[in-house]
């Protein structure tokens, strides 16, 4: 681990940052509150993702939680006194962070170990891929508290599972276990609890073994493409494909294929 990364890791209280090869593992670590998203946790996640965005040696990120929560939501004790302007500012703050996580030009896998409720479900949905432990539980219970999902839930949930199911889950606050989450397209894979991190690492190793610039531009093309019409998305795809055709890794990938040998990518 480099000095900057170590100094950052040492300064964290509600989260942890570990590095294994080219993979960063970020753990929400306030289990006594089921990793609820207090200001401090949001701050730390922001600092971690700012660092990871510029850390060239890191090619992929896994986000998980300590204990029986992934994240049980926004911090209700913190929000309890909020009026409209504080509520809006809190939502703005979390949305800005979640946009940063969604937009980081590296793959992010949520390894959902337990409760992913409210802001926790919204955080998982900001990641590229979700792998759930059999113990994971998802839901948007905000209506129980008299508010609506405001860390992206009303927007990202219907994009993932469709408007009908999103409306049902948001209107009823019903909690969904891992198997059903997979059935409705909220998670990619469900694994036994003790296999969760290994499953996330296996998938991330498969991804980081590919040409990193191709992965980066695939993410940009998919994310930006979801916000524009098909023709604009296809134009973007052509432009980003052209950039990949100019990389050393494109030459290496195609040379290696034709020479029937494994490619060695350099992120160039
Ligand atoms: N905020 C603050 N503290 C929380 C919390 C949260 N979101 N979720 C759990 N905690 C705390 C509990 O208050 C409790 O603390 P104490 O031990 O000091 O009493 C501790 O974590 C353990 O929780 P429980 O004793 O409740 O654990 P449980 O196993 O009985 O229940 C649970 C687990 C079903 C997840 C339950 O804790 C729960 O319903 N939590 C709230 C979930 C929720 O409503 N989340 C949405 C918040 S709003 C939001 O996120 C959205 C948004 O877009 C603004």
């Amino acid at each position: 681990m480099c000095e900057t990364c170590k100094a950052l890791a040492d300064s964290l209280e509600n989260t942890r940052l570990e590095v294994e090869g080219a993979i960063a593992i970020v753990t929400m670590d306030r289990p006594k509150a089921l990793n609820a998203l207090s200001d401090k946790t949001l701050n730390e996640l922001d600092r971690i993702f700012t660092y990871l965005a510029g850390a060239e040696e890191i090619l992929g990120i896994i986000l998980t939680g300590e204990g029986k929560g992934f994240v049980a939501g926004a911090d209700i004790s913190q929000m309890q006194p909020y009026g409209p302007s504080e509520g809006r500012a809190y939502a703005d703050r979390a949305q800005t962070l979640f946009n940063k996580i969604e937009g980081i030009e590296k793959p992010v896998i949520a390894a959902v170990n337990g409760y992913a409720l409210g802001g926790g479900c919204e955080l998982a949905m900001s990641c590229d891929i979700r792998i759930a432990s059999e113990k994971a539980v998802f839901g948007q219970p905000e209506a129980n508290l008299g508010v609506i999902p405001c860390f992206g839930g009303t927007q990202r949930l219907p994009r993932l599972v469709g408007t009908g199911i999103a409306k049902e889950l948001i209107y009823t606050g019903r909690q969904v276990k891992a198997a059903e989450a997979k059935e409705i397209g909220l998670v990619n894979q469900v694994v036994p609890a003790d296999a969760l991190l290994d499953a996330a690492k296996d998938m991330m190793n498969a991804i980081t073994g590919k040409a990193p610039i191709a992965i980066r531009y695939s993410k940009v093309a998919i994310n930006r493409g979801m916000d524009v019409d098909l023709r604009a998305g296809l134009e973007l795809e052509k432009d980003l494909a052209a950039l990949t055709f100019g990389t050393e890794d494109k030459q290496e990938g195609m040379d290696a294929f034709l020479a029937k040998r494994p490619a060695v990518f350099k992120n160039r």
Side-chain angles (χ1 to χ4, degrees):
M1 200 188 254
C2 75
E3 283 307 308
T4 320
C5 186
K6 194 172 174 329
L8 171 59
D10 288 347
S11 73
L12 303 170
E13 289 175 26
N14 287 356
T15 52
R16 295 201 311 268
L17 171 61
E18 286 143 313
V19 173
E20 290 185 19
I23 302 176
I25 301 167
V26 179
T27 307
M28 269 76 66
D29 191 15
R30 193 165 67 111
K32 65 176 175 4
L34 303 181
N35 303 322
L37 296 169
S38 64
D39 270 342
K40 185 190 267 262
T41 304
L42 292 176
N43 250 327
E44 291 187 2
L45 287 173
D46 192 45
R47 285 168 55 219
I48 292 171
F49 275 86
T50 300
Y51 166 74
L52 292 175
E56 273 183 24
E57 69 285 7
I58 300 298
L59 299 180
I61 301 155
I62 294 172
L63 193 56
T64 192
E66 183 64 46
K68 65 178 185 174
F70 173 71
V71 164
D75 191 318
I76 298 170
S77 43
Q78 185 184 303
M79 286 188 296
Q80 192 264 351
Y82 286 177
S85 62
E86 295 99 332
R88 193 173 206 289
Y90 188 36
D92 182 57
R93 184 138 184 253
Q95 284 189 13
T96 302
L97 169 65
F98 289 12
N99 289 343
K100 180 184 277 192
I101 293 172
E102 184 178 63
I104 194 170
E105 292 184 3
K106 302 177 183 201
V108 184
I109 296 178
V112 183
N113 51 298
Y115 290 111
L117 299 176
C121 187
E122 292 165 309
L123 176 58
M125 289 191 291
S126 307
C127 300
D128 297 308
I129 290 164
R130 283 148 294 284
I131 301 181
S133 138
E134 284 167 352
K135 293 187 178 161
V137 178
F138 297 81
Q140 297 289 162
E142 286 83 355
N144 294 327
L145 303 167
V147 293
I148 70 170
C150 58
F151 293 180
T154 64
Q155 304 306 306
R156 292 196 175 95
L157 187 59
R159 282 169 170 77
L160 269 173
V161 304
T163 51
I165 292 173
K167 284 175 177 170
E168 179 205 328
L169 294 182
I170 290 172
Y171 297 174
T172 64
R174 182 167 72 81
Q175 295 185 5
V176 168
K177 292 191 176 149
E180 185 181 350
K182 176 151 191 314
E183 213 173 281
I184 63 177
L186 186 51
V187 306
N188 298 62
Q189 196 182 333
V190 180
V191 297
D194 59 3
L196 179 64
L197 261 192
D198 283 343
K201 287 180 197 171
D202 285 351
M203 189 185 284
M204 193 56 91
N205 281 322
I207 296 170
T208 56
K210 311 294 175 207
I213 298 170
I215 302 303
R216 183 194 315 162
Y217 289 147
S218 299
K219 175 165 179 171
V220 172
I222 294 167
N223 281 5
R224 290 207 202 135
M226 292 300 287
D227 291 336
V228 297
D229 66 35
L230 178 63
R231 291 212 178 278
L234 290 170
E235 284 304 312
L236 174 67
E237 184 184 80
K238 273 188 285 192
D239 292 341
L240 291 169
L243 290 179
T244 59
F245 271 83
T247 61
E248 285 180 32
D249 282 349
K250 169 262 168 185
Q251 210 51 52
E252 166 64 10
M254 297 197 185
D255 288 352
F257 175 82
L258 293 173
K260 302 190 189 304
R261 63 168 173 80
V264 181
F265 294 119
K266 295 193 174 136
N267 198 9
R268 292 202 293 253

